[in-house]
Amino acid sequence: IASLIETAKINGVEPFAYLKALLEAIAAGHPQGRIDELLPWNFNPSS
């Protein structure tokens, strides 16, 4: 978790918003083959 938070900060992403969106996407069944879309440097707050 600490690594995800710091990586989000380095990429200019608000950590709480990122983790919330990440967990929601996983819970909604985000495909494993598209895991790169969930990385902090690919995070889009409006998604």
Side-chain angles (χ1 to χ4, degrees):
I1 298 291
S3 177
L4 286 174
I5 290 171
E6 291 305 316
T7 303
K9 288 180 185 178
I10 289 170
N11 286 281
V13 175
E14 200 281 310
F16 179 77
Y18 169 68
L19 290 173
K20 181 178 182 285
L22 174 68
L23 294 173
E24 287 173 347
I26 292 169
H30 189 84
Q32 289 181 351
R34 294 179 16 216
I35 196 77
D36 58 318
E37 296 172 3
L38 300 178
L39 298 173
W41 48 87
N42 293 331
F43 178 69
N44 183 355
S46 63
S47 62

